[in-house]
Amino acid sequence: MEDTVLNPTSSPQSSNRRAVRFDDAQIIIGLEVHVQLDTDSKLFCGCSTRFGEAANSQTCVVCTGMPGALPVINQRALELSIRAGLSLNCQIARSTKWDRKNYFYPDLPKGYQISQFDQPICGPGHLDIETSDATGQARRIRIERAHLEEDAGKSIHDESSRRQDSKIDLNRTGTPLLEIVTQPDIRTAAEAKAFLSELKLILNYIDVSDCNMQQGNLRCDANVNLHIPLGDEQIATPIVEIKNLNSFRAVERSITHEAQRQFEAWQEHGLTIADAPKQTRGWNDHTQTTTLQREKEDSADYRYFPDPDLIAVKIEESQIQEIESQLEQLPADLRKLLAEQYNLKSADASVIVSQGRGVVDYFLKVADGCEDSKIANNWIGQEVLRQLNESNQTIEQYPVSPQQFTDLLKLVIAGTLDQTRGKEVLNAMVADCISPEEAVQQLGIKPVDNNELVSLCEKLIDENQDVVEQIQSGNGKAIGMLIGKARKINPNANPGLVKAMLSKMISA
Amino acid sequence: MTLSALNADVIVDQLNAGEVTATDCVQHFLDRIQIHNAELNAFIRVSESALEQAEAIDQRRKSGESLGSLAGLPIAIKDGICVSGQPTTAGSKMLENFSPPYDATIVERLKSADAIIIGKTNMDEFAMGSSTENSFFGPTNNPWATNRVPGGSSGGSAACVAARLAPVAIGSDTGGSIRQPASFCGITGLKPTYGRVSRYGLIAFASSLDQIGPMTRTAKESALLMSVIAGFDPRDSTSSKEQVSDFLTGLETPLAGLRIGVCRDHLNEGLDVEVKTKINDAISVFKQLGANIEEIELPQTKSAIAAYYIIAPCEASSNLARYDGVRYTFRAQANDLEEMYRNTRGQGFGDEVKQRIMLGTYALSSGYYEAYYLKASKVRRMIKQDYDEAFKKVDLILGPTTPTPAFKLGQHTQDPLAMYLADIYTVSANLAGIPAISVPVEPSSTGLPIGLQLQGRAFEENTLLRAAHQFQNETLWHTASPSEPWRTQS
Amino acid sequence: MSETPEQPTVNQVARLARIHLDDQQLTSSGEKLEQILEFVSQLEQVELPKDVEPFFGAIESVNAIREDNLQTSVPREKILDNAPESDGEFYLVPPVFRNTDS
């Protein structure tokens, strides 16, 4: 298909095409995102959805498609889908039904996948994403639909020998997936990544999915083509669906690569959307390229029809309202809250919110407790996140409670602890799971009285006449050396106070 | 009287009264199967554990345990219904060695009623057929004339009850597969309302049409079995929560004032003259019983066969996609995956099954859905509306079960359409989801059974059973048995 | 669903259904298919009221739903017991692609 040449490369059109620059082309991207819903049991049977168990140990007559077995829909999967739909501003269907998507594959036990064809549980919606472009405007990505379906199993092919049998594990078969389909509203690879990050964050916040990409709980296909201005015309290149995108980085890079590839292919052959059907290409992480996937001629003929083993699901307005009332604030709301009510810079608010609901709650408690959101943000945004990152812990596992952290920050705000001593105290609190008071005691921190401070400063001036001279001759920064020495002599000496007193003495 | 001459309700009474042991009862029928099955081929397999189970029942009875309502009663099950640990083949080579790890819901219910599954009966492969000639295990012969078909697809169940190789049996009905063989074999067969009996464990042919039901000598026996197998099942999403009454009570309520509709169109075209006469005689019997006979119209049912032969194959093409050589026993030799699929399905399925999968695959393929499946489903709605209208005027609809008595083996095997027309009166009930029963009327002059079909409102099996029961009290046609040794009849 | 599809050949249908038919079977299957399709074409003549809803299932109630409760899975050996080929852990199937490189 790729080698089909409709226009000879030497034609006049070809030279026109050569004149177009890649930067003039607009990339058009739509995403199809499969998200595993966080249910205990599968979509149509009571088998566990747990990841990583022994092969074929989590199957039953229903999910292996045993003759005679029948599916029954999982209530929780419906609820989670509605919750996700509401969070993506989708219209929730009042009536939804099930369809069979027929195709043969060894990890698809029934020879069809139960999915939703014409009555998805979630209709049109949208998601606003923040972009880093100059305008700083949020971009609205329209959601076309989101529907529920069952996952297939896993085929394990022996890479070393093509003669080897493939192995089939049906543990994953029947796991509930929500397939979220966007309109082709995404314009850059970075936007695609931003959309996915925000989607993942939302689904995490509302406990719909952990979106763990390593475990395949979030999978993405991207539909990509280019709109290229050519004279007065706008040319659209053939649409390519890129499959196997299992990391944000893969999404970003594959789109960038594919756009470039399409542009070059178009310059070469001039093929447009009218000349070629939609193509499926796979992303290869090793070569960082997309390659054409072998497809059977009938693979697109899924012979959808309503599943006669299942009946329609009616969703009452009251049910939707109940789920809506249980929805907590979404990341965008919280960013706004932190920026407007807590006066954080939007970048800082984003950092806190991107850490998940737990960190936001932690921040709010500490900020409210110490009544200084800036200090709370500085400490949590830097110290806490660094510590969590280093110890690979979640905020829920963090040994310092919000109350203890508040107490610590109060000491800092009061000047009882300076930044450095404060951090030492925090480290001790984390290391030994103790309160700030206990840490202060353990570190031997006690206030230094004025007389002590005076004698300390006098001693420093006596012993460091050369530095004093430097300061007197206009090198104000040199005072830092004296402060450092003061700290060595008495760690409890407050550097601010020491500086003030020294300055006063030297200039006197 | 020998056990095999007794009705199931009488056998249960005798078992309860200690007049006969379950062991003797089971042994009696096993002996009859031993003698006659070679000629009839009604059973694919006899249960190895039946005697053991009977002994256990006797033991429990002796020790004074309370037992289920069918304690010790042998029952034959169509081989398209899963019995845990026993081969369940659906009459197909594809499932020749398939042994399900679970019981169908109705099997579970029969077992907890302490019935004894005596064997699995022959059937058209995956229930696709009207003659039981499409079985991988060979055709079943009609005990009334062994050179004729017993009907299908539940031909084995019909033949074994007619020949008294089992007192009662279970069949399944997608387009007439209980009623048509019941008619051909001179027994009573009830297709319940769709959703009345759980389909869980019934190997699917066409899910929106399939329904399990009893195949018995009398309507009363059918009521007895229905009381055990009917009712909501949370494992079947299409199972109904509609209240289940005791099907045995009210059987004797007089038919005076019952309104029975007759569709004249169904008593004319293509109908065997003798069948027509016997059905008209039956109408007179119902009149004598006090029923009012009224004419009704079901104009859309003339499209029923066409709609059925779109809808059923479409569903079947999808339902049978799972037989791909990966999970269930049969796999053909192949070098790669595609070849394995094609060879397995090419060799594992019989011709009729392949034909219907082809038809369904074609009708669902890209661009055809609206012209076929969707159109047929709309026609299906019209047929249902016809019944809704008719049932505003009448309580039951009466007519022949089949246009002719049992035809000869091989007579229609080369002509699918002629075979399909054997279902002309039965498919509409499946499309509309309503219950229908076939009961024997006076046999043909050559001694072949003829069936009368009564159709009723959804979930009104009681009315069907009551009318059928009182017709049987009045006529006794259902008590006729084929004579042994079995005869042929040209 | 496109408007005027090309008539798929029996061969294509057999491929879509993953059923191997030899030439003779293809011919005979094609004839029967044609015969049945001609028979069911009578549906074209049925005039439907404009807004008639299709009737897909014989039961028109809604909401057969189960709670998200775990149930014990079937032991693997029982599940794999019916498999034509397995290694005790996995179902085994022939390789997806024909071995053409040798």
Side-chain angles (χ1 to χ4, degrees), chain B residues 135-169:
Chain B
S135 170
F136 174 66
F137 302 93
T140 294
N141 299 325
N142 190 321
W144 291 89
T146 51
N147 58 340
R148 288 180 184 263
V149 303
S153 67
S154 311
S157 286
C160 82
V161 172
R164 309 297 186 227
L165 307 190
V168 289

Side-chain angles (χ1 to χ4, degrees), chain A residues 60-73 97 99-100 102-112 117-118 162-163 165 168 170 296 298 300-311, chain B residues 82 95 98 100-102 194 198-204 206-208 234-238 314-315 317-324 326-328 331 337-338 341-342 345 360-362 364-366 369 373:
Chain A
C60 70
V61 297
V62 176
C63 59
T64 58
M66 203 70 84
L70 296 171
V72 184
I73 181 79
K97 74 180 217 315
D99 301 280
R100 293 185 182 177
N102 294 282
Y103 66 95
F104 288 88
Y105 207 73
D107 59 22
L108 187 73
K110 297 187 294 296
Y112 59 84
F117 182 61
D118 58 348
R162 305 189 80 186
R163 287 169 187 242
D165 283 349
I168 310 296
L170 299 182
K296 311 199 176 61
D298 61 21
D301 199 344
Y302 291 126
R303 289 162 286 137
Y304 278 102
F305 78 109
D307 191 331
D309 285 333
L310 289 160
I311 58 176
Chain B
C82 289
L95 292 175
F98 173 65
Y102 76 110
Y194 186 84
S198 169
R199 293 186 298 114
Y200 189 79
L202 168 65
I203 296 179
S207 311
S208 78
R235 288 176 297 192
D236 175 0
S237 303
T238 63
C314 283
E315 293 186 14
S317 71
S318 174
N319 282 333
L320 273 63
R322 69 191 63 195
Y323 307 109
D324 59 3
V326 178
R327 290 163 309 278
Y328 319 119
R331 174 187 293 183
L337 186 68
E338 280 298 309
Y341 283 152
R342 288 177 189 160
R345 292 165 64 78
T361 304
Y362 173 84
L364 285 177
S365 65
S366 178
Y369 174 80
Y373 193 75

Side-chain angles (χ1 to χ4, degrees), chain A residues 75 78 82 86 92-96 121 313-324, chain C residues 62-63 65:
Chain A
Q75 165 85 41
L78 291 172
I82 295 171
L86 289 171
I92 307 300
R94 292 298 180 275
S95 175
T96 184
I121 186 160
V313 173
K314 288 253 185 285
I315 301 166
E316 300 296 334
E317 184 63 39
S318 59
Q319 201 183 341
I320 298 172
Q321 278 171 0
E322 197 193 319
I323 293 173
E324 196 159 25
Chain C
V62 292
N63 296 0
I65 283 169

Side-chain angles (χ1 to χ4, degrees), chain B residues 69 196 220 222-228 230 243-253 461-463 465-466:
Chain B
S69 61
R196 184 56 117 177
K220 192 176 178 186
S222 281
L224 183 71
L225 293 188
M226 279 297 284
S227 297
V228 172
Q243 189 71 36
V244 177
S245 51
D246 180 358
F247 294 92
L248 285 161
T249 56
L251 285 181
E252 307 295 343
T253 309
E461 287 85 358
N462 288 46
T463 313
L465 289 165
R466 174 180 143 219

Side-chain angles (χ1 to χ4, degrees), chain B residues 297-301 377-392 397 428 431-432 434, chain C residues 47-49 51-55 60:
Chain B
E297 280 181 32
L298 298 166
Q300 298 294 345
T301 54
S377 298
K378 288 180 174 174
V379 170
R380 186 177 182 183
R381 169 75 65 192
M382 304 292 289
I383 291 168
K384 184 175 184 291
Q385 286 172 351
D386 268 7
Y387 278 105
D388 291 344
E389 283 306 308
F391 283 126
K392 285 178 186 164
I397 295 169
S428 298
L431 291 169
I434 58 171
Chain C
E47 282 191 31
L48 299 171
D51 50 355
V52 66
E53 286 288 314
F55 183 42
E60 290 200 287

